């Protein structure tokens, strides 16, 4: 717990943003949640509305943003964040990563606030270095379907460093690897919501390609702990936060089938263009600069908590 600050969370009604709003309230801070609700969902923060230190602004960060009074911290998490979203919302994805980041950095400068950028392992593209450490510059296809997200986030990192170097804004950059947990959108097309809802509904699990591609899944609470420590730290250069426990997508599907007790089978679908073949964070730096931070929630436990959420959501959505 640190002294009370006023924190703006852009994308605060999204999956990770809403968990951060909660965490910042727990830290004793005043929280301004901003979201245009394009991919965010008010249901993620509904329970916070009664909190006296919470307020919600329905605003698009690619337009002029105004927040009255002081601001101490800005957590910039506004962005579509799944491959299906990039396909459906390529222009908005580019705009929020580029124009939105520029606007929010301008706000940070005007308010003399510390700014933390949600960047992504996507900046490494289809990586030629494995596992990925922060010094790797990446292997990104700028003109492929994921280019709108990858390049916008790379621009966002460059813009953040320019505001740090040129304007002296206090900046932090987290590179987030695959994260899962309650409040993921059921239909966002990412592998966990897809497999979990398919397994719970008794449908076949759609494996893209032969399922031998790998990912490393981090439970949202571990990510939020890492981000909070990074915010309070003085580390300016990008820091990977994720869980290095790597597995194939087929193994991930098997873990979900076992947990749900589902009889569903795998059905292969075409591999999306530029789908990274491997992904695993090197978290040596995070361990070093974030006071020994490392992921604590085992896959089984994280999947159980996530399944409880999905069961509820499927029941209420019908
Ligand atoms: N994937 C899959 N079936 C699905 C959704 C995704 O096999 O229904 C695969 C996808 O091709 C990728 C991995 O799961 O290799 C993770 O995909 P996701 O969209 O969750 O995130 P990414 O890590 O690609 O950004």
């Amino acid at each position: 717990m640190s002294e009370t600050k006023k924190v703006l969370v852009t994308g605060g009604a999204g999956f990770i943003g809403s968990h951060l709003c909660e965490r910042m309230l727990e830290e004793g801070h005043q929280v301004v949640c901003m979201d245009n609700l394009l991919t965010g969902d008010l249901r993620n923060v509904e329970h916070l509305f009664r909190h006296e230190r919470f307020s919600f602004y329905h605003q698009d960060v690619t337009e002029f943003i105004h927040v009255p009074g002081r601001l101490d911290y800005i957590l910039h998490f506004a962005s579509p964040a799944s491959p299906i979203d990039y396909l459906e919302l390529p222009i908005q994805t580019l705009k929020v990563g580029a124009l939105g980041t520029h606007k929010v950095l301008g706000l940070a400068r005007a308010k003399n606030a510390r700014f933390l950028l949600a960047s992504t392992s996507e900046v490494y593209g289809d990586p030629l270095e494995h596992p990925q450490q922060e010094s790797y510059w990446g292997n990104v296809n700028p003109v492929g379907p994921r280019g709108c997200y990858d390049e916008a986030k790379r621009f966002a990192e460059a813009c953040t460093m320019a505001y740090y170097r040129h304007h002296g804004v206090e900046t932090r950059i987290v590179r987030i690897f695959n994260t899962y947990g309650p409040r993921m959108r059921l239909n966002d097309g990412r592998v966990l919501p897809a497999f979990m809802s398919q397994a719970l509904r008794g449908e076949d699990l759609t494996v893209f390609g032969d399922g031998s591609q790998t990912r490393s899944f981090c439970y949202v609470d571990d990510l939020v702990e890492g981000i909070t420590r990074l915010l309070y730290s003085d580390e300016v250069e990008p820091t990977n936060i994720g869980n290095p426990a790597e597995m194939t997508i087929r193994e991930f599907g098997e873990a979900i089938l076992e947990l749900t007790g589902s009889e569903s089978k795998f059905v292969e679908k075409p591999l999306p263009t530029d789908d990274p073949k491997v992904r695993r964070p090197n978290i040596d730096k995070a361990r070093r600069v974030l006071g020994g931070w490392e992921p604590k929630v085992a896959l089984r436990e994280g999947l159980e908590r996530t399944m409880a959420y999905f069961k509820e959501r499927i029941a209420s959505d019908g």
Side-chain angles (χ1 to χ4, degrees):
M1 187 88 85
S2 64
E3 87 193 80
T4 298
K5 304 281 190 191
K6 187 168 168 193
V7 189
L8 169 67
V9 183
T10 76
F15 161 46
I16 296 174
S18 64
H19 286 276
L20 280 169
C21 287
E22 270 175 354
R23 175 60 186 260
M24 291 296 115
L25 287 170
E26 280 166 23
E27 294 285 300
H29 302 322
Q30 193 179 333
V31 172
V32 178
C33 167
M34 187 177 280
D35 208 297
N36 67 352
L37 302 178
L38 184 64
T39 55
D41 189 334
L42 271 186
R43 288 179 296 185
N44 291 338
V45 286
E46 227 163 30
H47 60 295
L48 302 178
F49 274 71
R50 72 180 85 94
H51 204 298
E52 57 178 11
R53 282 185 278 109
F54 179 82
S55 52
F56 177 77
Y57 283 40
H58 186 193
Q59 216 169 307
D60 182 341
V61 297
T62 65
E63 309 288 337
F64 178 79
I65 31 179
H66 177 68
V67 178
R70 71 173 227 272
L71 272 181
D72 302 294
Y73 297 143
I74 301 180
L75 303 173
H76 181 39
F77 279 68
S79 178
S82 85
I84 292 260
D85 288 342
Y86 323 145
L87 284 178
E88 285 174 4
L89 307 164
I91 315 288
Q92 288 96 327
T93 303
L94 273 163
K95 280 179 72 178
V96 73
L99 308 182
T101 301
H102 182 227
K103 286 265 185 306
V104 180
L105 276 163
L107 182 69
R109 184 179 175 217
K111 301 281 185 185
N112 208 10
R114 183 175 297 175
F115 171 92
L116 184 146
L117 171 70
S119 186
T120 166
S121 54
E122 282 283 324
V123 301
Y124 301 123
D126 190 2
L128 303 177
E129 176 181 303
H130 190 68
Q132 295 76 53
Q133 61 181 357
E134 290 86 350
S135 54
Y136 178 51
W137 290 352
N139 177 40
V140 170
N141 174 4
V143 295
R146 301 168 89 109
C148 59
Y149 184 62
D150 301 8
E151 294 296 0
K153 287 294 189 185
R154 289 168 70 95
F155 172 90
E157 289 197 5
C159 200
T160 300
M161 292 309 290
Y163 268 70
Y164 165 71
R165 293 193 183 108
H166 193 69
H167 290 311
V169 173
E170 279 187 37
T171 58
R172 311 283 180 264
I173 298 175
V174 57
R175 289 189 181 146
I176 299 172
F177 283 67
N178 293 67
T179 299
Y180 70 98
R183 304 201 194 120
M184 292 186 97
R185 251 167 51 231
L186 256 63
N187 60 350
D188 80 357
R190 278 186 281 195
V191 68
L192 184 134
F195 282 3
M196 186 70 87
S197 38
Q198 287 159 351
L200 291 173
R201 292 183 167 122
E203 297 163 5
D204 287 341
L205 268 53
T206 50
V207 171
F208 296 166
D210 63 4
S212 64
Q213 68 274 36
T214 70
R215 293 294 185 273
S216 312
F217 296 94
C218 183
Y219 188 67
V220 65
D221 288 3
D222 285 329
L223 177 83
V224 164
E225 176 64 28
I227 289 170
T228 305
R229 291 191 192 198
L230 180 64
L231 176 68
Y232 295 152
S233 81
D234 53 14
E235 182 55 42
V236 171
E237 300 284 326
T239 305
N240 289 340
I241 305 266
N243 189 325
E246 181 183 10
M247 66 187 72
T248 67
I249 290 305
R250 220 169 244 275
E251 286 166 345
F252 187 61
E254 275 154 12
I256 290 182
L257 288 179
E258 198 209 311
L259 175 83
T260 53
S262 165
E263 308 268 287
S264 298
K265 307 269 174 276
F266 292 113
V267 54
E268 288 190 11
K269 300 271 178 186
L271 191 66
T273 311
D274 297 334
D275 196 290
K277 284 179 270 311
V278 289
R279 183 181 289 154
R280 177 184 184 205
N282 175 321
I283 58 166
D284 290 350
K285 180 183 170 186
R287 283 196 181 100
R288 195 174 66 247
V289 301
L290 304 180
W293 170 87
E294 52 178 22
K296 293 214 156 48
V297 181
L299 184 69
R300 172 84 192 191
E301 188 187 340
L303 286 179
E304 273 172 13
R305 293 191 212 166
T306 310
M307 180 172 69
Y309 171 82
F310 271 73
K311 278 185 173 167
E312 233 174 75
R313 197 42 15 122
I314 287 173
S316 72
D317 290 0

